Amino acid sequence: MQRIFGLVKDKAEKLLADGTVNRVIGWKNGEFFYDQTPAVFSAEDKLDGLVYDGFCASNLSKYLVKESKKDGKILALLKPCDTYGLNQLIKEHRVNRENIYVLGIGCDGMLDTNKIRDKGIKGIEKIEENGDDLVIQTIYGEKSCKRSEALLDKCLCCKGKEHMVYDELLTSDEELPENKSDRFELVEKLEAMTPDERFAFWRGELSKCIRCNACRNVCPVCTCEKCIFDNDNSGIASKANTDSFEENMFHIIRAFHVAGRCTDCGECSRVCPQHIPLHLLNRKFIKDINEFYGDFQAGADAEARGPLTDFTKEDVEPSIVMNKGGNL
Amino acid sequence: MPIKESENGQFKPLIVAFCCNWCSYAGADLAGTSRLSYPADIKIIRVPCSCRINPMFVLRAFQRGADGVILCGCHPGDCHYSTGNYYARRRMTLLFSMLDYLGIERGRTRVEWVSAAEGVKFSATMNEFSKTIHELGENKKLGDLRCKEFLD
């Protein structure tokens, strides 16, 4: 990733200098080395603090909803999976495409510090990448671990290295993480359970929700200007007032609102402070849509009609759910 | 007297039926004028079209104590607004599948297409649905405890 960072920075500087763009949206160092934060750099900033390393997982396309409405073009650094989100926003007319210059940058998978910690490596101060190995500086000395073992879950189901929308590409021949896990594996496992087991599983997970709304805020397709969950008078906008029903409903509705539009970027699960596997709700909708209405990948192009804004006369009846067999 | 219990102490479900104005509501009307009976557990809510039904309506009904929710609309192809029920069909298929995924009993939700001429079908469907809900018993998984007091 460091190989490409120099190229990205040079390119961004060049585009700023020749006036193609007047701002750059990228990442800068956050409070810790592993929380690189989205940031907008203007020409005067001279890209001070711009970074691109294994912790730049956040998808910048959502920020373009606001940024693309300002004056002048903005340079957006987008990884392959981020471009699905941007395409979806273009389709929904949420961004002003003319004001965005997309620099498609290569990605070889993003890292998850929690996975490194789970290996018993504590007191991490710095992580350096050395090919397929990670050199980890800790307060207890130097440790190492395989890069492929510390990838984010979403990178294990990588959609590929192709950018769906771009003005210019800047890639190197990175080794993509092996597409090793089947993304519907866990969904199928849940489907095989009895309803009571499923209910217990989801109660266990959803009761951890603290209603911080991070999943909604980070989602590249959750861009309503007025969100139904923001009504302070509803009495359910915070954890203190909710009960189990509201927790269930919040997550059903959140997933339903992005059904057919969710690009399966996995950001919701990545940002959840309670580690709720929210992507399993979205993937259930994706799996159903693929099964019932044919394979569909939201954001793969900016024209196709979404499955929920379209129909055919031969669609399956809702009774298909009833007749699936198994336990009632 | 709690609405959920009849005088002899038996479980008395609360079933919400969303009926579209143009077909199913007229179908219910026909069932009435034809002196066909359907259980008093069924509370009909008239909507302009089956696609007016937001998934939130279904969840809210469960929250406020419904034990079953049934949606009725014009037969596919016969929608008063041409295509409304096709959209409703997709939405509800996905919603029901999601409720099933969360562990809610599948029998509690249903979609039926009932035309204005099908009073008999309306009555038969409602009798059958009420029977299913009687067998499933009270909806405990999706109810909201805070809404219980409104039912009493």
Coordinates of all heavy atoms in Angstrom, one line a residue, chain B residues 19-106:
Chain B
C19 N -57.0 -3.6 3.9 CA -57.7 -3.9 2.6 C -57.6 -2.7 1.7 O -57.9 -1.6 2.1 CB -59.2 -4.2 2.9 SG -59.4 -5.8 3.8
C20 N -57.4 -3.0 0.4 CA -57.3 -1.9 -0.5 C -58.7 -1.4 -0.8 O -59.7 -2.2 -0.8 CB -56.5 -2.3 -1.8 SG -57.5 -2.9 -3.1
N21 N -58.9 -0.2 -1.1 CA -60.2 0.4 -1.2 C -61.0 -0.1 -2.4 O -62.2 -0.2 -2.3 CB -60.0 1.9 -1.4 CG -61.3 2.7 -1.6 OD1 -62.2 2.4 -0.9 ND2 -61.3 3.7 -2.5
W22 N -60.3 -0.5 -3.5 CA -61.0 -0.8 -4.7 C -61.5 -2.2 -4.9 O -62.4 -2.5 -5.5 CB -60.1 -0.4 -5.9 CG -59.7 1.1 -5.7 CD1 -58.5 1.5 -5.3 CD2 -60.5 2.2 -6.0 NE1 -58.5 2.9 -5.2 CE2 -59.8 3.3 -5.7 CE3 -61.8 2.4 -6.5 CZ2 -60.2 4.6 -5.8 CZ3 -62.3 3.7 -6.6 CH2 -61.5 4.8 -6.3
C23 N -60.7 -3.2 -4.3 CA -61.1 -4.6 -4.5 C -61.5 -5.2 -3.1 O -62.6 -5.6 -2.9 CB -60.0 -5.4 -5.1 SG -59.7 -5.0 -6.8
S24 N -60.5 -5.3 -2.2 CA -60.7 -6.1 -1.0 C -61.7 -5.5 -0.1 O -62.5 -6.3 0.5 CB -59.4 -6.4 -0.3 OG -58.4 -6.8 -1.3
Y25 N -61.7 -4.2 0.0 CA -62.6 -3.6 0.9 C -64.1 -3.8 0.4 O -65.0 -4.1 1.2 CB -62.3 -2.1 1.1 CG -63.0 -1.4 2.3 CD1 -62.5 -1.6 3.5 CD2 -64.2 -0.7 2.1 CE1 -63.1 -1.1 4.6 CE2 -64.8 -0.1 3.2 CZ -64.2 -0.3 4.5 OH -64.8 0.2 5.6
A26 N -64.2 -3.7 -0.9 CA -65.5 -4.0 -1.5 C -65.8 -5.4 -1.4 O -67.0 -5.8 -1.3 CB -65.5 -3.6 -3.0
G27 N -64.8 -6.3 -1.4 CA -65.0 -7.7 -1.2 C -65.5 -8.0 0.2 O -66.4 -8.8 0.4
A28 N -65.0 -7.3 1.2 CA -65.5 -7.4 2.5 C -66.9 -6.9 2.6 O -67.7 -7.5 3.3 CB -64.6 -6.6 3.5
D29 N -67.2 -5.9 1.9 CA -68.5 -5.4 1.9 C -69.5 -6.4 1.3 O -70.6 -6.6 1.9 CB -68.5 -4.1 1.0 CG -69.6 -3.1 1.4 OD1 -70.0 -3.2 2.6 OD2 -69.9 -2.2 0.6
L30 N -69.1 -7.0 0.2 CA -69.9 -8.0 -0.4 C -70.1 -9.2 0.6 O -71.3 -9.7 0.7 CB -69.3 -8.5 -1.7 CG -70.1 -9.6 -2.5 CD1 -71.4 -9.0 -3.0 CD2 -69.2 -10.1 -3.6
A31 N -69.0 -9.6 1.3 CA -69.2 -10.7 2.3 C -70.3 -10.3 3.3 O -71.1 -11.1 3.7 CB -67.9 -10.9 3.0
G32 N -70.3 -9.0 3.7 CA -71.3 -8.6 4.6 C -72.7 -8.6 4.1 O -73.6 -9.1 4.7
T33 N -72.8 -8.0 2.9 CA -74.2 -8.0 2.3 C -74.7 -9.3 1.9 O -75.9 -9.6 1.8 CB -74.2 -7.0 1.1 OG1 -73.1 -7.3 0.2 CG2 -74.2 -5.6 1.5
S34 N -73.8 -10.3 1.7 CA -74.2 -11.6 1.3 C -74.4 -12.5 2.6 O -74.6 -13.7 2.5 CB -73.1 -12.3 0.5 OG -72.6 -11.5 -0.4
R35 N -74.3 -11.8 3.8 CA -74.5 -12.5 5.0 C -73.5 -13.6 5.3 O -73.9 -14.7 5.8 CB -76.0 -13.1 5.1 CG -77.0 -12.0 5.1 CD -77.2 -11.3 6.4 NE -78.3 -10.4 6.5 CZ -78.1 -9.1 6.2 NH1 -77.0 -8.6 5.8 NH2 -79.2 -8.3 6.2
L36 N -72.3 -13.4 4.8 CA -71.3 -14.4 5.1 C -70.5 -13.9 6.3 O -70.3 -12.7 6.5 CB -70.3 -14.5 3.9 CG -70.8 -15.0 2.6 CD1 -69.9 -14.6 1.4 CD2 -71.1 -16.5 2.6
S37 N -70.1 -14.8 7.2 CA -69.5 -14.3 8.4 C -68.0 -14.5 8.4 O -67.5 -15.3 7.7 CB -70.1 -15.1 9.6 OG -69.6 -16.5 9.5
Y38 N -67.4 -13.6 9.1 CA -65.9 -13.7 9.3 C -65.7 -13.3 10.8 O -66.5 -12.5 11.3 CB -65.1 -13.0 8.3 CG -65.2 -11.5 8.3 CD1 -64.3 -10.7 9.1 CD2 -66.1 -10.8 7.5 CE1 -64.4 -9.3 9.0 CE2 -66.2 -9.5 7.5 CZ -65.4 -8.7 8.2 OH -65.4 -7.4 8.2
P39 N -64.6 -13.8 11.4 CA -64.5 -13.6 12.9 C -64.4 -12.1 13.2 O -63.9 -11.3 12.5 CB -63.2 -14.3 13.2 CG -62.9 -15.2 12.0 CD -63.5 -14.6 10.9
A40 N -64.9 -11.8 14.4 CA -64.8 -10.4 14.9 C -63.4 -10.0 15.3 O -63.1 -8.9 15.6 CB -65.7 -10.3 16.1
D41 N -62.5 -11.0 15.3 CA -61.1 -10.7 15.7 C -60.4 -9.8 14.6 O -59.5 -9.1 14.8 CB -60.2 -12.0 15.7 CG -60.9 -13.1 16.5 OD1 -61.6 -12.8 17.4 OD2 -60.6 -14.3 16.2
I42 N -61.0 -9.9 13.4 CA -60.4 -9.2 12.3 C -60.8 -7.7 12.3 O -62.0 -7.4 12.3 CB -60.9 -9.8 10.9 CG1 -60.8 -11.3 10.9 CG2 -60.2 -9.1 9.7 CD1 -59.5 -11.9 10.4
K43 N -59.8 -6.8 12.4 CA -60.1 -5.4 12.3 C -59.6 -4.9 11.0 O -58.4 -5.0 10.7 CB -59.4 -4.7 13.4 CG -59.5 -5.3 14.8 CD -60.8 -5.2 15.4 CE -60.9 -5.8 16.7 NZ -62.2 -6.4 17.1
I44 N -60.5 -4.3 10.2 CA -60.1 -3.9 8.8 C -59.6 -2.5 8.9 O -60.2 -1.6 9.5 CB -61.3 -4.1 7.9 CG1 -61.6 -5.6 7.7 CG2 -60.9 -3.5 6.5 CD1 -62.7 -5.8 6.8
I45 N -58.5 -2.2 8.2 CA -58.0 -0.9 8.0 C -58.0 -0.6 6.5 O -57.4 -1.4 5.7 CB -56.6 -0.6 8.5 CG1 -56.6 -0.8 10.1 CG2 -56.1 0.7 8.1 CD1 -55.3 -0.7 10.7
R46 N -58.8 0.4 6.0 CA -58.9 0.6 4.6 C -57.7 1.5 4.1 O -57.4 2.5 4.7 CB -60.2 1.3 4.3 CG -60.4 1.5 2.8 CD -61.8 1.9 2.5 NE -62.2 3.2 3.1 CZ -63.1 4.0 2.6 NH1 -63.8 3.6 1.5 NH2 -63.4 5.1 3.1
V47 N -57.1 1.0 3.1 CA -56.0 1.8 2.5 C -56.3 2.0 1.0 O -57.0 1.2 0.4 CB -54.6 1.1 2.6 CG1 -54.1 1.1 4.0 CG2 -54.7 -0.4 2.1
P48 N -55.8 3.1 0.4 CA -56.1 3.4 -1.0 C -55.6 2.3 -2.0 O -56.3 2.1 -3.0 CB -55.5 4.7 -1.3 CG -54.6 5.1 -0.1 CD -55.0 4.2 1.0
C49 N -54.5 1.7 -1.6 CA -54.0 0.7 -2.5 C -53.1 -0.2 -1.7 O -52.5 0.3 -0.7 CB -53.2 1.4 -3.7 SG -52.4 0.2 -4.8
S50 N -52.9 -1.4 -2.1 CA -52.0 -2.3 -1.3 C -50.6 -1.8 -1.2 O -49.9 -2.0 -0.3 CB -52.0 -3.7 -1.8 OG -51.8 -3.8 -3.2
C51 N -50.2 -1.0 -2.2 CA -48.8 -0.5 -2.2 C -48.7 0.7 -1.3 O -47.6 1.2 -1.0 CB -48.3 -0.2 -3.6 SG -48.7 1.4 -4.2
R52 N -49.8 1.2 -0.7 CA -49.8 2.2 0.3 C -49.2 1.7 1.6 O -48.7 2.4 2.5 CB -51.2 2.8 0.6 CG -51.3 3.8 1.7 CD -50.5 5.1 1.3 NE -50.5 6.0 2.4 CZ -49.6 6.1 3.4 NH1 -48.7 5.2 3.4 NH2 -49.7 7.0 4.4
I53 N -49.2 0.4 1.8 CA -48.8 -0.2 3.0 C -47.3 -0.2 3.2 O -46.6 -1.0 2.5 CB -49.4 -1.6 3.2 CG1 -50.9 -1.6 3.1 CG2 -49.0 -2.2 4.5 CD1 -51.5 -2.9 2.7
N54 N -46.8 0.6 4.1 CA -45.4 0.7 4.4 C -45.1 -0.5 5.3 O -45.9 -0.8 6.2 CB -45.3 2.0 5.2 CG -43.9 2.4 5.5 OD1 -43.1 1.6 5.7 ND2 -43.7 3.7 5.5
P55 N -43.9 -1.1 5.1 CA -43.5 -2.2 6.0 C -43.7 -1.8 7.5 O -43.9 -2.6 8.4 CB -42.1 -2.5 5.7 CG -42.0 -2.0 4.3 CD -42.9 -0.9 4.1
M56 N -43.5 -0.5 7.7 CA -43.6 0.0 9.1 C -45.0 -0.2 9.6 O -45.2 -0.4 10.8 CB -43.3 1.5 9.0 CG -42.9 2.2 10.3 SD -41.2 2.1 10.5 CE -41.0 3.6 11.5
F57 N -46.0 -0.1 8.8 CA -47.4 -0.3 9.2 C -47.6 -1.7 9.9 O -48.2 -1.8 10.9 CB -48.4 -0.2 8.1 CG -48.5 1.2 7.5 CD1 -47.8 2.3 7.9 CD2 -49.4 1.4 6.4 CE1 -47.9 3.5 7.3 CE2 -49.6 2.6 5.8 CZ -48.8 3.7 6.3
V58 N -47.0 -2.6 9.2 CA -47.1 -4.0 9.6 C -46.4 -4.2 11.0 O -46.9 -4.8 11.9 CB -46.4 -5.0 8.6 CG1 -46.5 -6.4 9.1 CG2 -47.1 -4.8 7.2
L59 N -45.2 -3.6 11.1 CA -44.5 -3.7 12.3 C -45.2 -2.9 13.5 O -45.2 -3.4 14.6 CB -43.0 -3.1 12.2 CG -42.1 -3.9 11.2 CD1 -40.8 -3.2 11.0 CD2 -41.9 -5.3 11.8
R60 N -45.7 -1.8 13.1 CA -46.4 -1.0 14.2 C -47.6 -1.8 14.7 O -48.0 -1.7 15.8 CB -46.9 0.3 13.6 CG -45.8 1.4 13.5 CD -45.5 2.0 14.8 NE -44.4 3.0 14.7 CZ -43.3 3.1 15.5 NH1 -43.1 2.2 16.4 NH2 -42.5 4.0 15.3
A61 N -48.3 -2.4 13.7 CA -49.5 -3.2 14.1 C -49.1 -4.3 15.2 O -49.7 -4.5 16.2 CB -50.2 -3.9 12.9
F62 N -48.0 -5.0 14.9 CA -47.5 -6.0 15.8 C -47.1 -5.3 17.1 O -47.3 -5.9 18.2 CB -46.3 -6.7 15.2 CG -46.7 -7.8 14.2 CD1 -46.2 -7.8 13.0 CD2 -47.5 -8.8 14.6 CE1 -46.5 -8.8 12.1 CE2 -47.9 -9.8 13.7 CZ -47.4 -9.8 12.4
Q63 N -46.5 -4.2 17.0 CA -46.0 -3.5 18.3 C -47.2 -3.2 19.2 O -47.2 -3.4 20.4 CB -45.3 -2.2 17.9 CG -44.9 -1.4 19.2 CD -44.5 0.0 18.8 OE1 -44.8 0.6 17.8 NE2 -43.6 0.6 19.7
R64 N -48.3 -2.7 18.6 CA -49.5 -2.3 19.4 C -50.4 -3.5 19.7 O -51.5 -3.3 20.0 CB -50.2 -1.3 18.6 CG -49.3 -0.2 18.1 CD -49.6 1.2 18.6 NE -48.3 2.0 18.5 CZ -48.3 3.2 18.0 NH1 -49.3 3.8 17.6 NH2 -47.1 3.8 17.9
G65 N -49.9 -4.7 19.5 CA -50.6 -5.8 20.1 C -51.3 -6.7 19.1 O -52.0 -7.6 19.5
A66 N -51.1 -6.5 17.8 CA -51.7 -7.4 16.8 C -51.0 -8.8 16.9 O -49.9 -8.9 17.2 CB -51.6 -6.9 15.4
D67 N -51.9 -9.8 16.7 CA -51.3 -11.2 16.7 C -51.1 -11.7 15.3 O -50.4 -12.7 15.1 CB -52.2 -12.1 17.5 CG -52.4 -11.7 18.9 OD1 -51.4 -11.7 19.6 OD2 -53.5 -11.3 19.3
G68 N -51.7 -11.1 14.3 CA -51.6 -11.4 12.9 C -51.9 -10.2 12.1 O -52.6 -9.4 12.5
V69 N -51.2 -10.1 10.9 CA -51.5 -9.0 10.0 C -51.7 -9.7 8.6 O -50.9 -10.4 8.2 CB -50.3 -8.0 10.0 CG1 -50.6 -7.0 8.9 CG2 -50.1 -7.4 11.3
I70 N -52.8 -9.3 8.0 CA -53.1 -9.8 6.7 C -53.3 -8.6 5.7 O -53.9 -7.6 6.1 CB -54.3 -10.8 6.7 CG1 -54.5 -11.3 5.3 CG2 -55.5 -10.2 7.3 CD1 -55.4 -12.6 5.2
L71 N -52.7 -8.7 4.6 CA -52.8 -7.6 3.6 C -53.7 -8.2 2.4 O -53.4 -9.3 1.9 CB -51.5 -7.3 3.0 CG -50.6 -6.4 3.8 CD1 -49.9 -7.1 4.9 CD2 -49.5 -5.8 2.9
C72 N -54.7 -7.4 2.0 CA -55.5 -7.8 0.9 C -55.5 -6.7 -0.2 O -55.5 -5.5 0.2 CB -56.9 -8.1 1.3 SG -57.1 -9.3 2.6
G73 N -55.4 -7.1 -1.4 CA -55.3 -6.2 -2.5 C -56.0 -6.8 -3.7 O -56.4 -7.9 -3.7
C74 N -56.0 -6.0 -4.8 CA -56.6 -6.5 -6.0 C -55.7 -7.5 -6.6 O -54.5 -7.6 -6.3 CB -56.6 -5.3 -7.1 SG -57.4 -3.8 -6.5
H75 N -56.2 -8.4 -7.4 CA -55.4 -9.5 -8.0 C -54.3 -8.8 -8.9 O -54.6 -7.7 -9.5 CB -56.2 -10.4 -8.9 CG -57.0 -11.3 -8.1 ND1 -56.6 -12.6 -7.7 CD2 -58.3 -11.2 -7.5 CE1 -57.5 -13.2 -7.0 NE2 -58.5 -12.4 -6.8
P76 N -53.1 -9.4 -8.9 CA -52.1 -8.8 -9.8 C -52.6 -8.6 -11.2 O -53.3 -9.5 -11.8 CB -51.0 -9.8 -9.8 CG -51.1 -10.5 -8.5 CD -52.6 -10.5 -8.2
G77 N -52.4 -7.4 -11.8 CA -53.0 -7.2 -13.1 C -54.3 -6.4 -13.0 O -54.7 -5.7 -14.0
D78 N -55.0 -6.4 -11.8 CA -56.2 -5.7 -11.7 C -56.2 -4.5 -10.9 O -57.2 -3.9 -10.5 CB -57.3 -6.6 -11.1 CG -57.7 -7.8 -12.0 OD1 -57.4 -7.6 -13.2 OD2 -58.3 -8.7 -11.6
C79 N -55.0 -4.0 -10.5 CA -54.8 -2.9 -9.6 C -55.5 -1.6 -10.2 O -55.4 -1.4 -11.4 CB -53.4 -2.6 -9.3 SG -53.1 -1.1 -8.3
H80 N -56.2 -0.9 -9.3 CA -56.9 0.3 -9.8 C -55.9 1.3 -10.3 O -56.2 2.1 -11.2 CB -57.7 0.9 -8.6 CG -58.5 2.1 -8.9 ND1 -59.7 2.0 -9.5 CD2 -58.3 3.4 -8.8 CE1 -60.2 3.2 -9.7 NE2 -59.4 4.1 -9.2
Y81 N -54.7 1.3 -9.8 CA -53.7 2.2 -10.2 C -52.7 1.4 -11.1 O -51.5 1.8 -11.2 CB -53.0 2.8 -9.0 CG -53.9 3.4 -8.1 CD1 -54.3 2.8 -6.9 CD2 -54.4 4.7 -8.3 CE1 -55.2 3.4 -6.0 CE2 -55.3 5.3 -7.4 CZ -55.7 4.6 -6.3 OH -56.6 5.2 -5.5
S82 N -53.1 0.4 -11.8 CA -52.4 -0.4 -12.7 C -51.3 -1.3 -12.1 O -51.3 -2.5 -12.4 CB -51.7 0.4 -13.8 OG -52.6 1.3 -14.4
T83 N -50.4 -0.7 -11.4 CA -49.2 -1.5 -11.0 C -48.9 -1.6 -9.5 O -47.9 -2.2 -9.1 CB -47.9 -1.0 -11.7 OG1 -47.8 0.4 -11.4 CG2 -48.0 -1.1 -13.2
G84 N -49.7 -0.9 -8.7 CA -49.4 -0.8 -7.2 C -49.2 -2.1 -6.6 O -48.2 -2.3 -5.8
N85 N -50.0 -3.1 -6.8 CA -49.9 -4.3 -6.1 C -48.7 -5.1 -6.5 O -48.2 -5.9 -5.7 CB -51.2 -5.2 -6.2 CG -51.7 -5.4 -7.6 OD1 -50.9 -5.0 -8.6 ND2 -52.8 -5.9 -7.8
Y86 N -48.1 -4.9 -7.7 CA -46.9 -5.5 -8.1 C -45.7 -5.1 -7.2 O -44.9 -5.9 -6.7 CB -46.5 -5.2 -9.5 CG -47.3 -5.9 -10.6 CD1 -48.0 -5.2 -11.5 CD2 -47.4 -7.3 -10.6 CE1 -48.8 -5.8 -12.5 CE2 -48.2 -7.9 -11.6 CZ -48.9 -7.1 -12.5 OH -49.7 -7.7 -13.4
Y87 N -45.7 -3.8 -6.8 CA -44.7 -3.3 -5.9 C -44.9 -3.8 -4.5 O -44.0 -4.2 -3.8 CB -44.7 -1.8 -5.9 CG -44.3 -1.1 -7.2 CD1 -45.2 -0.6 -8.1 CD2 -42.9 -1.1 -7.6 CE1 -44.8 0.0 -9.3 CE2 -42.5 -0.6 -8.8 CZ -43.5 0.0 -9.6 OH -43.1 0.5 -10.8
A88 N -46.2 -3.8 -4.1 CA -46.5 -4.3 -2.8 C -46.1 -5.8 -2.6 O -45.6 -6.2 -1.6 CB -48.0 -4.2 -2.5
R89 N -46.3 -6.5 -3.7 CA -45.9 -8.0 -3.7 C -44.4 -8.1 -3.4 O -44.0 -9.0 -2.6 CB -46.3 -8.6 -5.0 CG -46.1 -10.1 -5.1 CD -46.8 -10.7 -6.2 NE -46.4 -10.3 -7.5 CZ -46.9 -10.8 -8.6 NH1 -47.8 -11.7 -8.6 NH2 -46.4 -10.4 -9.8
R90 N -43.6 -7.4 -4.1 CA -42.1 -7.5 -3.8 C -41.8 -7.1 -2.4 O -41.0 -7.7 -1.7 CB -41.4 -6.6 -4.8 CG -41.3 -7.3 -6.2 CD -40.1 -6.8 -7.0 NE -39.9 -7.6 -8.1 CZ -38.9 -7.5 -9.0 NH1 -38.0 -6.7 -8.8 NH2 -38.8 -8.4 -10.0
R91 N -42.3 -5.9 -2.0 CA -42.0 -5.4 -0.7 C -42.4 -6.4 0.4 O -41.6 -6.7 1.3 CB -42.8 -4.2 -0.4 CG -42.1 -2.9 -0.7 CD -43.0 -1.7 -0.6 NE -42.9 -0.9 -1.7 CZ -43.8 -0.1 -2.2 NH1 -44.9 0.1 -1.5 NH2 -43.6 0.6 -3.2
M92 N -43.6 -7.0 0.3 CA -44.0 -7.8 1.4 C -43.3 -9.2 1.4 O -43.1 -9.8 2.4 CB -45.6 -8.0 1.3 CG -46.3 -6.7 1.6 SD -45.8 -6.1 3.2 CE -45.9 -4.3 2.9
T93 N -43.0 -9.7 0.2 CA -42.2 -10.9 0.1 C -40.9 -10.7 0.9 O -40.5 -11.6 1.7 CB -41.9 -11.3 -1.3 OG1 -43.1 -11.2 -2.1 CG2 -41.3 -12.6 -1.4
L94 N -40.2 -9.6 0.7 CA -39.0 -9.4 1.4 C -39.2 -9.2 2.9 O -38.4 -9.7 3.7 CB -38.2 -8.2 0.8 CG -37.7 -8.4 -0.7 CD1 -37.0 -7.2 -1.1 CD2 -36.7 -9.6 -0.7
L95 N -40.2 -8.4 3.2 CA -40.5 -8.1 4.6 C -40.8 -9.4 5.4 O -40.2 -9.7 6.4 CB -41.6 -7.1 4.8 CG -42.0 -6.8 6.3 CD1 -40.9 -6.1 7.0 CD2 -43.3 -6.1 6.4
F96 N -41.6 -10.3 4.8 CA -42.0 -11.5 5.5 C -40.8 -12.4 5.6 O -40.7 -13.1 6.6 CB -43.1 -12.2 4.7 CG -44.5 -11.5 4.7 CD1 -45.6 -12.0 4.0 CD2 -44.6 -10.3 5.4 CE1 -46.8 -11.3 4.0 CE2 -45.8 -9.6 5.4 CZ -46.9 -10.1 4.6
S97 N -40.0 -12.4 4.6 CA -38.8 -13.3 4.7 C -37.9 -12.8 5.8 O -37.3 -13.6 6.5 CB -38.1 -13.2 3.3 OG -37.0 -14.1 3.3
M98 N -37.8 -11.4 5.9 CA -37.0 -10.9 7.0 C -37.5 -11.2 8.4 O -36.8 -11.6 9.3 CB -36.8 -9.4 6.8 CG -36.1 -8.6 7.8 SD -34.4 -9.3 8.2 CE -33.5 -8.8 6.8
L99 N -38.9 -11.1 8.5 CA -39.5 -11.4 9.8 C -39.2 -12.9 10.1 O -38.9 -13.2 11.3 CB -41.0 -11.1 9.8 CG -41.3 -9.7 9.8 CD1 -42.8 -9.5 9.6 CD2 -40.8 -8.9 11.0
D100 N -39.3 -13.7 9.1 CA -39.0 -15.2 9.3 C -37.6 -15.3 9.8 O -37.2 -16.1 10.7 CB -39.3 -15.9 8.0 CG -38.8 -17.4 8.1 OD1 -39.1 -18.0 9.1 OD2 -38.2 -17.8 7.2
Y101 N -36.6 -14.6 9.2 CA -35.2 -14.6 9.5 C -34.9 -14.2 10.9 O -34.0 -14.7 11.5 CB -34.5 -13.7 8.5 CG -33.0 -13.7 8.5 CD1 -32.3 -14.8 8.2 CD2 -32.3 -12.5 8.7 CE1 -30.9 -14.8 8.2 CE2 -30.9 -12.5 8.7 CZ -30.2 -13.6 8.4 OH -28.9 -13.6 8.4
L102 N -35.8 -13.3 11.4 CA -35.6 -12.8 12.8 C -36.3 -13.8 13.8 O -36.2 -13.5 15.0 CB -36.1 -11.4 12.9 CG -35.0 -10.4 12.8 CD1 -34.8 -9.9 11.4 CD2 -35.2 -9.2 13.7
G103 N -36.9 -14.8 13.3 CA -37.5 -15.8 14.2 C -38.9 -15.6 14.5 O -39.5 -16.2 15.5
I104 N -39.6 -14.7 13.8 CA -41.1 -14.5 14.0 C -41.8 -15.6 13.3 O -41.4 -16.0 12.2 CB -41.5 -13.1 13.5 CG1 -40.5 -12.0 13.9 CG2 -42.9 -12.8 13.9 CD1 -40.3 -11.8 15.3
E105 N -42.9 -16.1 13.9 CA -43.6 -17.2 13.3 C -44.1 -16.8 11.9 O -44.7 -15.7 11.7 CB -44.8 -17.6 14.1 CG -44.4 -18.1 15.5 CD -44.4 -17.0 16.5 OE1 -44.3 -15.9 16.2 OE2 -44.4 -17.4 17.7
R106 N -43.9 -17.6 10.9 CA -44.3 -17.3 9.5 C -45.8 -17.1 9.3 O -46.2 -16.4 8.5 CB -43.9 -18.4 8.6 CG -42.4 -18.5 8.3 CD -42.1 -19.7 7.4 NE -40.8 -20.1 7.7 CZ -40.3 -21.3 7.4 NH1 -41.1 -22.2 6.8 NH2 -39.1 -21.6 7.6

